[in-house]
Amino acid sequence: MPEVILGQGKTPDQVAGIAQALLAKSHNLLLTRATPEMAARVKELEPQAEHFPSSGVVRVWRDRTIYGKGKIAAICAGTSDLPVLEEAQLTAEVMGNSVDVISDVGVAGIHRLLNQRDKLMDARVAIVCAGMEGALPSVVGGLVGCPVIAVPTSIGYGASFHGLAALLGMLNSCASNVTVVNIDNGFGAGYVASLINRLG
Amino acid sequence: MPEVILGQGKTPDQVAGIAQALLAKSHNLLLTRATPEMAARVKELEPQAEHFPSSGVVRVWRDRTIYGKGKIAAICAGTSDLPVLEEAQLTAEVMGNSVDVISDVGVAGIHRLLNQRDKLMDARVAIVCAGMEGALPSVVGGLVGCPVIAVPTSIGYGASFHGLAALLGMLNSCASNVTVVNIDNGFGAGYVASLINRLG
Amino acid sequence: MPEVILGQGKTPDQVAGIAQALLAKSHNLLLTRATPEMAARVKELEPQAEHFPSSGVVRVWRDRTIYGKGKIAAICAGTSDLPVLEEAQLTAEVMGNSVDVISDVGVAGIHRLLNQRDKLMDARVAIVCAGMEGALPSVVGGLVGCPVIAVPTSIGYGASFHGLAALLGMLNSCASNVTVVNIDNGFGAGYVASLINRLG
Amino acid sequence: MPEVILGQGKTPDQVAGIAQALLAKSHNLLLTRATPEMAARVKELEPQAEHFPSSGVVRVWRDRTIYGKGKIAAICAGTSDLPVLEEAQLTAEVMGNSVDVISDVGVAGIHRLLNQRDKLMDARVAIVCAGMEGALPSVVGGLVGCPVIAVPTSIGYGASFHGLAALLGMLNSCASNVTVVNIDNGFGAGYVASLINRLG
Amino acid sequence: MPEVILGQGKTPDQVAGIAQALLAKSHNLLLTRATPEMAARVKELEPQAEHFPSSGVVRVWRDRTIYGKGKIAAICAGTSDLPVLEEAQLTAEVMGNSVDVISDVGVAGIHRLLNQRDKLMDARVAIVCAGMEGALPSVVGGLVGCPVIAVPTSIGYGASFHGLAALLGMLNSCASNVTVVNIDNGFGAGYVASLINRLG
Amino acid sequence: MPEVILGQGKTPDQVAGIAQALLAKSHNLLLTRATPEMAARVKELEPQAEHFPSSGVVRVWRDRTIYGKGKIAAICAGTSDLPVLEEAQLTAEVMGNSVDVISDVGVAGIHRLLNQRDKLMDARVAIVCAGMEGALPSVVGGLVGCPVIAVPTSIGYGASFHGLAALLGMLNSCASNVTVVNIDNGFGAGYVASLINRLG
Amino acid sequence: MPEVILGQGKTPDQVAGIAQALLAKSHNLLLTRATPEMAARVKELEPQAEHFPSSGVVRVWRDRTIYGKGKIAAICAGTSDLPVLEEAQLTAEVMGNSVDVISDVGVAGIHRLLNQRDKLMDARVAIVCAGMEGALPSVVGGLVGCPVIAVPTSIGYGASFHGLAALLGMLNSCASNVTVVNIDNGFGAGYVASLINRLG
Amino acid sequence: MPEVILGQGKTPDQVAGIAQALLAKSHNLLLTRATPEMAARVKELEPQAEHFPSSGVVRVWRDRTIYGKGKIAAICAGTSDLPVLEEAQLTAEVMGNSVDVISDVGVAGIHRLLNQRDKLMDARVAIVCAGMEGALPSVVGGLVGCPVIAVPTSIGYGASFHGLAALLGMLNSCASNVTVVNIDNGFGAGYVASLINRLG
């Protein structure tokens, strides 16, 4: 398991201190919700660290062993949900999984999603990120037989109430194979998907 | 236009009094959210009145002229949403429309919906009723080119919050052709669909 | 139909890339919720693009054919709601409609609204934008016989809760011809009004 | 001033005990939110007591002196709001006011309201009860120059959220002369209107 | 009556244009929620205009006739509520009233409030501004016999939810003489208090 | 310490089984939120058990040793809050405390509260129950120097939202010595007050 | 996979009709949220059907093959959460899993939970049901390395808001291996746990 | 007792004025939610004033007498909650208490908390700060027998809703010895803990 730091609510000094300690005992490290300054501090400690500015992830991926027994599909509707999807993908990868990314498949253009059915069917577990009405997990859940982890995103405006609409939609999904994590919690989705994919 | 009475919040005496006055000047009458006692009172006034207990509608449909220029599709996901759908259908019919009912087409079984594509394409305006996550209008909206009137229903439990989840989902629909009415407001959806279908 | 891009949640590079692809295949383009930088990027691609800073709309309107069968009335109460009204108006125009704008007709000065009754009666479909208590659609709905699309705006303070008060008001409208779109969703209102106005 | 008992949350015994004590020292008594049993108990104590079942008010009105300097207008949109209006009216009357009741004047039928303009103009203070979207106080507020006390009612369904929609609407009224009391608080409105009407 | 402009949601140009028109026909003008730039623009038009930065009010008070029949008491608990109190006070003054300001009388130090009892008793109408738990109007309402207009303020943090706690508290006041306006709506309170104080 | 059973959510059989086991090892037992049937079952087990129907408490108080170092004041505004106050009182008593009950001291009649100042000053810890606006703890908190445990009650209607208004008010108390328990949680308040009163 | 019917929102006739059709093609059937009348109707169709009144489940379990690769732990804090736990357990069993039930292990008595550590460690996936503050999944999540499916229950009162407090708590869990389903959705948790447990 | 100023909502001038007056009559002063400018102004008045930037506290601690009868434990889960914990600690210290700080003991790593059991058992009153799901007070409450004051913090994202999830969790704690203060109200917790710790 990689070590993980949640950057939010910490100072760059605190992050750097924790990162240094963790890098001494673990090959891999994931820092989420990092500011650019935090990213720079971790890069000083480990030049191989990668910084992904759109999701705010910093990843140290020194041990790239694959532990997953199959593929994880990471799916989102459109461009705006990509940062959350990226957090999920980077998490799953650093935990030793092969991840298939499927984007631009919103529910209002259902045939683009159906065109990806082979990829969907190939997944052992699916992560679905969606903002606005958050309907994508229900549709994906109906297409696949595997567990679906739904991630509401805060994308939207007005009555999306910063992701509340998507969250409520996913909790009320009529697809029985859907569970839900917190709004914008790509990390949590990637983490649980990895645990599931290791089973076997 | 038929005359309309909202039964909720009125006494059977009040309903009977209003119904009597309206029936004297109008061929058609729609009473919504009626109790069985209200229905009985209206049937005393007009034996042809029909009572639909599951939706609570009482309808006097003496003039059955068709005013609509095309078909209205009335769509819902499952058995539980049928009462709201029925209110919409009865309203649209009494306002002079031909209505195509499509049920049992939830988003978690997308192919059942796609199998109805011909009927959907044939509609000049669509009414879509859904509870729980309320995702069906977005999917229908992406399939058809006509206006879609979304009706959130109070079907669900827990975090559906009596239809709030479905309502928020529909307001945040990524399909541009969707507008929304109040929770369980099948009447309103049938009414506006009729107005739209008369245009031409 | 014009192509449409929602600027919010995208980078200027993403917007420019999408715009370039769409302009190659479509005469008209609408970019909503655009930053000034996005507007500049689209103007580089197409010098005729117009930028409307108060609503954040960028419009490429190369084909100005009128498809609407009648007039769309776009109505708001006061100065502060004008940006949302503008988004609705620009959308309806680029989709081939003639739009009548009626502003400064709040419900607390009902005679200013009644003075516009001729214009209202002339509309085939009405868009009504209102913040604060969001009462204008109910009053307009009672005056006209056509469909009314209500747009709650986030204008207000305190217990307006960023448009929630107006949204709830409109969903509970006692006028039967009112449907509702998301808070500040002028685009959606303009889009659906255009679909309705094409019928015939 | 009459003595007042809020029946809700008390037992009939408690109500009877308090009523007996108050009737010994005061000519007038108002009991609100009374159950039929409470009403019967007060009638035992004072046979002149009147019971108004639809509003749940019991009134002992032995001293009918008029203290108000002018008329109070009590206005509501429709049949369903009448119980709350009645509570306001009975309160204002027992406090020594002449009350003009104006009902069936909803905002979606604005001309019925305008037809009552003389009565409205004659009022020294206005009470306006409305459920659903709660828009009536804003329209009345714009027509009259006197203070308007708005009473949201719990009438409605779905997104009315038991009067919340009407309450928020009234708090955000664009008419400057509107203040608001609690949902269904006809008593409070009648009480404050009486205080205002005594000034002079 | 003075003319009134709500600055919020308008541009400085719009404000200046409206102010110029209004100043040509009215002696007094009140501009609320004004930015410093708006204030400067009005001062260019009328050098006597006063700017009150903490409340954001700009006032042109050329006609200082007193129309009020008695005194208005304007009361708040502490330093943080003063801006809202100031908006109420300036409004009432420009509408021709004499205003008694009573501050630093929070409910947790009840004797400071009781020490002001003479001033309170002298008022014909009272305005009470309070944030946090919003309890002051109930206590004042119990001490005075006149109408009390309660203004919840957005002062507080955490579970004050930007004034919601104070608003709900005031709506549920156990004092019968309390009505409520929107959060931070000092203007509305001053306006209604002035209307009441003119009666006689 | 007495043993405690929360009756809510349990069947009478479950309650009787737990009560039997606990009575075998403890002198005192408190059963809260009990139905009459649960009360009867406990009385079968222990004839000395007392049933308090208004609060739903069943108490077995075989060991009446006083452990408290001083007095606990239990205060509420009016008749309707008495059931919650009773639950707090019975809890504190069975835990070995002497409790002073002070009722009918609402914030809108502040002098009734001030008349009880000697009793208040005598308390080592105070419990204050209030519904509606929930302002009483702030006023009591300002009068006493001891810790105040505030209990919001669900008494009220409309915008009290089943105790939410009182809860928020108490959480935002401007008195620094106030902490809060759940709505209607008289038991919790009595329990913590007992713990505090044992210190010494 | 067993066939599943959600009883809520259907009539007994509808349930019986669906059950008959499904029993003809599937060995196992699960009916959730069933009324006693629905249960009786299914028992008429299949005498082996079991009815579990506390959870409202009816189960036809003709094929008892074990498909799960390991054990599912089903955990709850106390007596009141047992009905939801039962729904999860029955679902997982009918889907071919061996389920270990661990109850009476609330977070306020942490040692009772720690005493069950062997059983917890033995699980391949854990279901945790909790009402009130909903903290149990976080503690369990920290103890085990497997995926945890958290089920908020509607058990509680006051500020539990019918399970909202537990739901929010679980969504914000600081344990990374927790995902969440709807309030009281024992079925969903059992279903997803079964899917996970089949992997291998 | 030290004097206390709440910096929020005041200007630096106001704070400096109040501080000067209070320092003339009191040895100790606590300024909470101070901006750096406020801190500088107080340091000008009293060079011994300490500024704690992460919590925003300024403390003048000239009289360091210990009044507490025992130790106060101040506990939080992680780095992000430290500012709120610090506010509580500084408050308790300036009120004459010895405070034991226990941090980094989140519920998802229960053994780190259990390792601190001696320190916990040693406390006469405990303060527990937690964001996200806010579960720590329940676990601590089950371990200790003393009163626990729970402080929800605004740490978290998405469905933490700025501390609402933690607040609701704590109000619904299944541990009977827990009371709650406002979100981020470290001061209030420190204040009440001090009052309790002085008893004896």
Side-chain angles (χ1 to χ4, degrees):
Chain A
M1 288 287 181
E3 297 290 340
V4 182
I5 310 171
L6 172 63
Q8 187 186 34
K10 299 194 177 69
T11 64
D13 275 358
Q14 291 172 327
V15 166
I18 302 172
Q20 189 165 26
L22 295 178
L23 284 170
K25 62 176 184 179
S26 170
H27 286 104
N28 291 347
L29 176 72
L30 198 76
L31 167 64
T32 62
R33 298 179 175 248
T35 60
E37 191 183 350
M38 292 176 188
R41 294 292 293 275
V42 175
K43 281 191 166 178
E44 281 171 30
L45 295 169
E46 168 53 88
Q48 292 174 38
E50 304 161 280
H51 180 212
F52 299 84
S54 81
S55 60
V57 170
V58 177
R59 180 168 67 173
V60 176
W61 195 11
R62 298 186 289 209
D63 173 0
R64 302 198 175 194
T65 314
I66 290 291
Y67 297 100
K69 299 288 182 293
K71 280 198 170 172
I72 295 175
I75 306 154
C76 76
T79 310
S80 307
D81 297 320
L82 282 172
V84 177
L85 189 79
E86 186 178 85
E87 192 184 89
Q89 175 192 0
L90 297 172
T91 301
E93 286 174 357
V94 82
M95 287 179 73
N97 295 281
S98 170
V99 180
D100 249 8
V101 170
I102 305 172
S103 63
D104 199 21
V105 290
V107 293
I110 203 73
H111 288 288
R112 283 202 301 274
L113 178 64
L114 296 177
N115 289 342
Q116 302 283 349
R117 215 168 159 179
D118 287 354
K119 263 192 185 168
L120 290 173
M121 288 308 160
D122 206 34
R124 214 162 175 253
V125 52
I127 296 166
V128 184
C129 305
M132 302 176 76
E133 78 268 65
L136 193 56
S138 292
V139 180
V140 171
L143 292 172
V144 302
C146 69
V148 173
I149 301 168
V151 192
T153 75
S154 55
I155 293 303
Y157 61 88
S160 89
F161 296 124
H162 311 292
L164 177 62
L167 172 63
L168 293 180
M170 292 173 183
L171 287 167
N172 287 285
S173 176
C174 54
S176 306
N177 50 349
V178 173
T179 61
V180 186
V181 296
N182 196 0
I183 298 164
D184 290 335
N185 187 9
F187 162 71
Y191 190 95
V192 175
S194 300
L195 292 185
I196 295 173
N197 197 29
R198 284 182 183 212
L199 293 173
Chain B
M1 288 286 181
E3 296 290 339
V4 183
I5 310 171
L6 172 64
Q8 187 187 35
K10 299 196 177 66
T11 64
D13 275 358
Q14 290 172 329
V15 165
I18 302 173
Q20 189 164 29
L22 295 178
L23 284 169
K25 63 178 184 178
S26 171
H27 287 103
N28 292 346
L29 176 72
L30 198 77
L31 167 63
T32 62
R33 300 179 173 247
T35 61
E37 191 183 351
M38 292 176 188
R41 296 291 296 274
V42 175
K43 280 190 164 177
E44 282 171 29
L45 295 170
E46 168 54 86
Q48 292 175 38
E50 305 161 280
H51 180 212
F52 300 84
S54 80
S55 60
V57 169
V58 177
R59 179 168 67 173
V60 176
W61 193 11
R62 299 187 286 211
D63 173 359
R64 303 199 174 193
T65 314
I66 290 291
Y67 296 101
K69 298 289 183 295
K71 282 198 169 170
I72 294 175
I75 306 154
C76 76
T79 310
S80 308
D81 298 321
L82 282 173
V84 177
L85 189 80
E86 185 177 87
E87 191 183 270
Q89 174 192 359
L90 297 172
T91 302
E93 286 174 358
V94 82
M95 288 179 73
N97 295 281
S98 171
V99 181
D100 250 8
V101 170
I102 305 171
S103 63
D104 198 22
V105 290
V107 294
I110 204 73
H111 287 288
R112 285 202 300 274
L113 179 63
L114 296 177
N115 288 343
Q116 302 283 351
R117 215 168 159 180
D118 287 353
K119 262 191 186 169
L120 289 174
M121 289 308 160
D122 206 36
R124 212 160 177 255
V125 53
I127 296 166
V128 185
C129 305
M132 300 176 78
E133 78 268 65
L136 193 55
S138 292
V139 179
V140 171
L143 292 173
V144 302
C146 71
V148 173
I149 302 168
V151 191
T153 76
S154 54
I155 293 303
Y157 61 88
S160 89
F161 296 123
H162 311 292
L164 177 62
L167 171 63
L168 293 181
M170 291 172 183
L171 286 167
N172 286 284
S173 176
C174 54
S176 306
N177 50 348
V178 173
T179 61
V180 186
V181 296
N182 196 0
I183 297 164
D184 290 333
N185 188 10
F187 162 69
Y191 190 95
V192 175
S194 299
L195 292 185
I196 294 173
N197 197 28
R198 285 184 182 207
L199 293 174
Chain C
M1 288 287 180
E3 296 290 340
V4 182
I5 310 171
L6 172 63
Q8 188 187 31
K10 297 195 178 67
T11 64
D13 275 357
Q14 291 172 327
V15 166
I18 302 172
Q20 190 165 26
L22 295 177
L23 284 169
K25 64 178 184 178
S26 171
H27 287 104
N28 292 346
L29 176 72
L30 198 76
L31 166 64
T32 62
R33 299 179 175 247
T35 60
E37 191 184 350
M38 292 176 188
R41 296 292 294 276
V42 175
K43 281 191 164 176
E44 281 170 28
L45 295 169
E46 168 53 88
Q48 292 175 39
E50 306 161 277
H51 180 213
F52 300 84
S54 81
S55 59
V57 170
V58 177
R59 180 168 67 174
V60 176
W61 194 11
R62 296 187 288 212
D63 172 359
R64 303 200 174 193
T65 314
I66 290 292
Y67 297 99
K69 299 288 183 296
K71 281 198 170 172
I72 294 174
I75 307 155
C76 76
T79 310
S80 307
D81 297 321
L82 283 172
V84 177
L85 189 80
E86 186 178 86
E87 191 183 88
Q89 175 191 358
L90 297 171
T91 302
E93 286 175 357
V94 82
M95 288 179 73
N97 295 281
S98 171
V99 181
D100 249 8
V101 170
I102 306 172
S103 64
D104 198 21
V105 290
V107 294
I110 203 73
H111 287 289
R112 284 202 301 274
L113 179 64
L114 297 176
N115 288 343
Q116 302 283 351
R117 216 170 157 178
D118 287 353
K119 263 192 185 169
L120 290 172
M121 289 308 160
D122 206 33
R124 212 158 175 258
V125 53
I127 296 165
V128 184
C129 305
M132 300 177 78
E133 78 268 64
L136 193 55
S138 291
V139 179
V140 170
L143 292 172
V144 303
C146 70
V148 173
I149 302 167
V151 191
T153 76
S154 55
I155 293 303
Y157 61 88
S160 89
F161 296 122
H162 311 293
L164 177 62
L167 171 63
L168 294 181
M170 292 172 183
L171 286 167
N172 286 284
S173 176
C174 53
S176 307
N177 50 349
V178 173
T179 61
V180 186
V181 295
N182 196 1
I183 298 165
D184 291 335
N185 187 8
F187 162 70
Y191 190 96
V192 175
S194 299
L195 291 185
I196 295 173
N197 197 29
R198 283 181 182 211
L199 294 173
Chain D
M1 289 286 181
E3 296 290 340
V4 183
I5 310 172
L6 172 64
Q8 187 187 34
K10 298 194 177 69
T11 63
D13 275 357
Q14 290 172 328
V15 165
I18 303 172
Q20 189 165 28
L22 294 177
L23 284 169
K25 63 177 185 179
S26 171
H27 287 103
N28 292 346
L29 176 71
L30 197 76
L31 167 64
T32 62
R33 298 178 175 249
T35 61
E37 192 183 351
M38 293 177 189
R41 295 292 294 276
V42 175
K43 279 190 166 178
E44 281 170 29
L45 295 170
E46 168 54 87
Q48 292 175 39
E50 306 161 278
H51 180 211
F52 300 85
S54 80
S55 60
V57 169
V58 177
R59 180 169 66 173
V60 176
W61 193 11
R62 298 187 288 212
D63 173 0
R64 302 200 174 193
T65 314
I66 289 291
Y67 297 100
K69 299 289 183 295
K71 282 197 169 170
I72 294 175
I75 306 153
C76 76
T79 311
S80 307
D81 298 320
L82 282 173
V84 177
L85 189 79
E86 186 179 86
E87 190 183 270
Q89 175 192 359
L90 296 172
T91 302
E93 286 174 357
V94 82
M95 288 179 72
N97 295 279
S98 171
V99 180
D100 251 8
V101 170
I102 305 171
S103 64
D104 198 22
V105 290
V107 294
I110 203 72
H111 288 288
R112 286 202 300 274
L113 179 64
L114 296 177
N115 289 343
Q116 302 283 351
R117 214 168 160 180
D118 286 354
K119 263 191 185 170
L120 289 173
M121 289 308 161
D122 206 34
R124 211 160 176 256
V125 53
I127 295 166
V128 185
C129 305
M132 298 174 80
E133 78 268 63
L136 193 56
S138 292
V139 179
V140 171
L143 292 172
V144 303
C146 71
V148 173
I149 301 168
V151 191
T153 76
S154 54
I155 294 303
Y157 61 89
S160 88
F161 296 123
H162 312 291
L164 178 62
L167 172 62
L168 293 181
M170 292 173 182
L171 286 167
N172 286 284
S173 175
C174 54
S176 307
N177 50 348
V178 173
T179 61
V180 186
V181 295
N182 196 0
I183 298 164
D184 290 334
N185 188 8
F187 162 70
Y191 191 96
V192 174
S194 300
L195 292 185
I196 294 173
N197 197 29
R198 283 182 184 210
L199 293 174
Chain E
M1 288 287 181
E3 296 290 341
V4 183
I5 310 170
L6 173 64
Q8 188 187 31
K10 297 193 177 71
T11 64
D13 275 358
Q14 290 172 327
V15 166
I18 302 172
Q20 189 165 27
L22 295 178
L23 284 169
K25 63 179 184 177
S26 170
H27 287 103
N28 292 346
L29 176 72
L30 197 76
L31 167 64
T32 62
R33 299 180 174 247
T35 61
E37 191 183 351
M38 292 176 188
R41 295 291 296 274
V42 175
K43 280 191 166 178
E44 280 170 29
L45 295 170
E46 168 53 87
Q48 292 175 40
E50 305 161 279
H51 179 213
F52 300 85
S54 80
S55 59
V57 170
V58 177
R59 179 168 68 174
V60 175
W61 194 9
R62 296 186 289 212
D63 173 358
R64 303 198 174 194
T65 314
I66 290 292
Y67 296 99
K69 298 289 184 293
K71 280 196 170 174
I72 294 174
I75 306 154
C76 77
T79 310
S80 307
D81 298 320
L82 283 172
V84 177
L85 189 80
E86 186 178 86
E87 191 183 270
Q89 175 192 1
L90 297 171
T91 302
E93 286 175 357
V94 81
M95 287 178 73
N97 295 280
S98 171
V99 180
D100 250 8
V101 170
I102 305 172
S103 64
D104 198 22
V105 291
V107 294
I110 203 74
H111 288 288
R112 284 202 301 274
L113 178 64
L114 296 177
N115 289 342
Q116 302 283 350
R117 215 169 159 179
D118 287 354
K119 262 191 186 169
L120 290 173
M121 289 308 160
D122 206 34
R124 214 161 174 255
V125 53
I127 296 164
V128 184
C129 305
M132 300 174 79
E133 79 268 64
L136 193 55
S138 291
V139 180
V140 170
L143 292 172
V144 303
C146 71
V148 172
I149 301 166
V151 191
T153 75
S154 54
I155 294 301
Y157 61 88
S160 88
F161 296 123
H162 311 292
L164 177 63
L167 172 63
L168 293 181
M170 292 172 182
L171 286 167
N172 286 284
S173 177
C174 53
S176 307
N177 50 348
V178 173
T179 61
V180 185
V181 295
N182 196 0
I183 297 164
D184 291 334
N185 187 8
F187 162 71
Y191 190 95
V192 175
S194 299
L195 292 185
I196 295 174
N197 197 29
R198 284 181 183 211
L199 293 174
Chain F
M1 288 285 180
E3 297 289 340
V4 182
I5 310 171
L6 172 64
Q8 188 187 32
K10 298 196 178 68
T11 65
D13 275 357
Q14 291 172 326
V15 165
I18 302 173
Q20 190 166 26
L22 295 177
L23 284 169
K25 63 177 186 181
S26 170
H27 287 104
N28 292 345
L29 176 72
L30 197 76
L31 167 64
T32 62
R33 299 180 175 248
T35 61
E37 192 184 350
M38 293 177 188
R41 295 292 294 275
V42 175
K43 280 191 164 176
E44 282 170 30
L45 295 169
E46 168 54 87
Q48 292 175 39
E50 306 161 279
H51 180 212
F52 299 85
S54 81
S55 60
V57 170
V58 177
R59 179 169 67 174
V60 176
W61 193 12
R62 298 187 287 211
D63 173 0
R64 302 201 175 194
T65 313
I66 290 290
Y67 297 99
K69 299 287 182 297
K71 282 197 169 172
I72 294 175
I75 306 153
C76 77
T79 309
S80 308
D81 297 322
L82 282 173
V84 177
L85 189 79
E86 187 178 84
E87 190 183 270
Q89 175 192 358
L90 297 171
T91 302
E93 286 175 357
V94 82
M95 288 179 73
N97 295 280
S98 171
V99 180
D100 250 8
V101 169
I102 305 172
S103 64
D104 198 22
V105 290
V107 295
I110 203 73
H111 287 289
R112 284 201 302 275
L113 179 64
L114 296 177
N115 288 343
Q116 302 283 352
R117 216 172 157 177
D118 286 354
K119 263 191 187 170
L120 289 174
M121 288 307 160
D122 206 34
R124 212 161 176 256
V125 53
I127 295 166
V128 185
C129 305
M132 300 175 79
E133 79 268 64
L136 193 57
S138 292
V139 179
V140 171
L143 292 172
V144 303
C146 71
V148 173
I149 301 167
V151 192
T153 75
S154 54
I155 294 303
Y157 61 89
S160 88
F161 296 123
H162 311 293
L164 178 62
L167 172 63
L168 293 181
M170 292 173 182
L171 286 167
N172 286 285
S173 176
C174 53
S176 306
N177 50 348
V178 173
T179 61
V180 186
V181 295
N182 196 0
I183 297 164
D184 291 334
N185 188 8
F187 162 71
Y191 190 95
V192 175
S194 300
L195 292 185
I196 295 174
N197 197 30
R198 284 182 182 210
L199 293 175
Chain G
M1 288 287 181
E3 296 291 339
V4 183
I5 310 171
L6 172 64
Q8 187 187 34
K10 299 196 177 68
T11 64
D13 275 357
Q14 291 171 328
V15 166
I18 302 172
Q20 190 166 27
L22 295 178
L23 284 169
K25 63 176 184 181
S26 169
H27 288 104
N28 293 345
L29 176 72
L30 198 76
L31 167 63
T32 62
R33 299 178 174 248
T35 61
E37 191 183 351
M38 292 176 188
R41 296 292 294 276
V42 175
K43 280 190 167 179
E44 281 171 30
L45 295 169
E46 167 54 86
Q48 292 175 37
E50 306 161 279
H51 180 212
F52 300 84
S54 81
S55 60
V57 169
V58 177
R59 179 169 66 174
V60 175
W61 194 10
R62 298 186 287 210
D63 173 359
R64 302 199 176 195
T65 314
I66 289 292
Y67 297 100
K69 300 287 182 297
K71 281 198 170 172
I72 294 175
I75 306 154
C76 76
T79 310
S80 308
D81 298 321
L82 282 173
V84 177
L85 189 79
E86 186 177 85
E87 191 183 89
Q89 175 192 358
L90 297 171
T91 303
E93 286 174 356
V94 83
M95 288 179 72
N97 295 281
S98 171
V99 180
D100 250 7
V101 170
I102 306 172
S103 64
D104 197 22
V105 290
V107 294
I110 203 74
H111 288 288
R112 285 201 300 274
L113 179 63
L114 296 177
N115 289 342
Q116 303 282 351
R117 216 170 158 179
D118 286 354
K119 263 192 186 169
L120 290 173
M121 288 308 159
D122 206 34
R124 212 161 176 256
V125 53
I127 295 165
V128 185
C129 305
M132 300 174 79
E133 78 268 64
L136 193 56
S138 292
V139 179
V140 171
L143 292 172
V144 303
C146 70
V148 173
I149 301 168
V151 191
T153 76
S154 55
I155 293 303
Y157 61 89
S160 89
F161 295 122
H162 311 292
L164 177 62
L167 172 63
L168 293 181
M170 292 173 183
L171 286 167
N172 286 284
S173 176
C174 54
S176 306
N177 49 348
V178 174
T179 62
V180 186
V181 296
N182 196 359
I183 298 164
D184 291 334
N185 188 9
F187 162 70
Y191 190 96
V192 175
S194 300
L195 292 185
I196 295 173
N197 197 30
R198 285 183 182 209
L199 293 174
Chain H
M1 288 288 182
E3 296 290 341
V4 183
I5 310 170
L6 172 63
Q8 187 186 34
K10 299 195 177 68
T11 64
D13 275 357
Q14 290 171 328
V15 166
I18 302 172
Q20 189 165 28
L22 295 178
L23 284 170
K25 63 178 185 178
S26 170
H27 287 103
N28 292 347
L29 176 71
L30 197 76
L31 167 63
T32 61
R33 298 178 175 249
T35 60
E37 190 183 352
M38 292 176 187
R41 294 293 293 275
V42 176
K43 280 191 166 178
E44 280 171 29
L45 295 169
E46 168 54 86
Q48 292 174 38
E50 304 161 279
H51 180 213
F52 300 85
S54 81
S55 59
V57 170
V58 177
R59 180 168 67 173
V60 175
W61 194 10
R62 297 186 289 211
D63 173 359
R64 301 197 175 195
T65 314
I66 290 291
Y67 296 100
K69 298 289 183 293
K71 280 198 170 173
I72 294 174
I75 306 155
C76 77
T79 311
S80 307
D81 297 321
L82 283 173
V84 177
L85 188 80
E86 186 178 85
E87 192 184 89
Q89 174 191 0
L90 297 172
T91 301
E93 286 175 356
V94 81
M95 288 178 73
N97 294 280
S98 172
V99 180
D100 250 7
V101 170
I102 305 172
S103 63
D104 198 20
V105 289
V107 294
I110 203 74
H111 288 288
R112 285 202 301 274
L113 180 63
L114 296 176
N115 289 342
Q116 303 283 349
R117 216 169 158 179
D118 287 354
K119 262 191 185 169
L120 289 173
M121 289 307 161
D122 206 34
R124 213 161 177 254
V125 53
I127 296 165
V128 184
C129 304
M132 302 175 78
E133 78 267 66
L136 193 55
S138 292
V139 179
V140 171
L143 292 172
V144 303
C146 71
V148 172
I149 301 166
V151 191
T153 75
S154 54
I155 293 302
Y157 61 88
S160 88
F161 295 124
H162 311 292
L164 177 62
L167 171 63
L168 293 180
M170 293 173 183
L171 286 167
N172 286 284
S173 176
C174 52
S176 306
N177 50 349
V178 173
T179 61
V180 186
V181 296
N182 196 0
I183 298 164
D184 291 334
N185 187 9
F187 163 71
Y191 190 95
V192 175
S194 299
L195 291 184
I196 294 173
N197 198 28
R198 285 184 182 208
L199 293 174

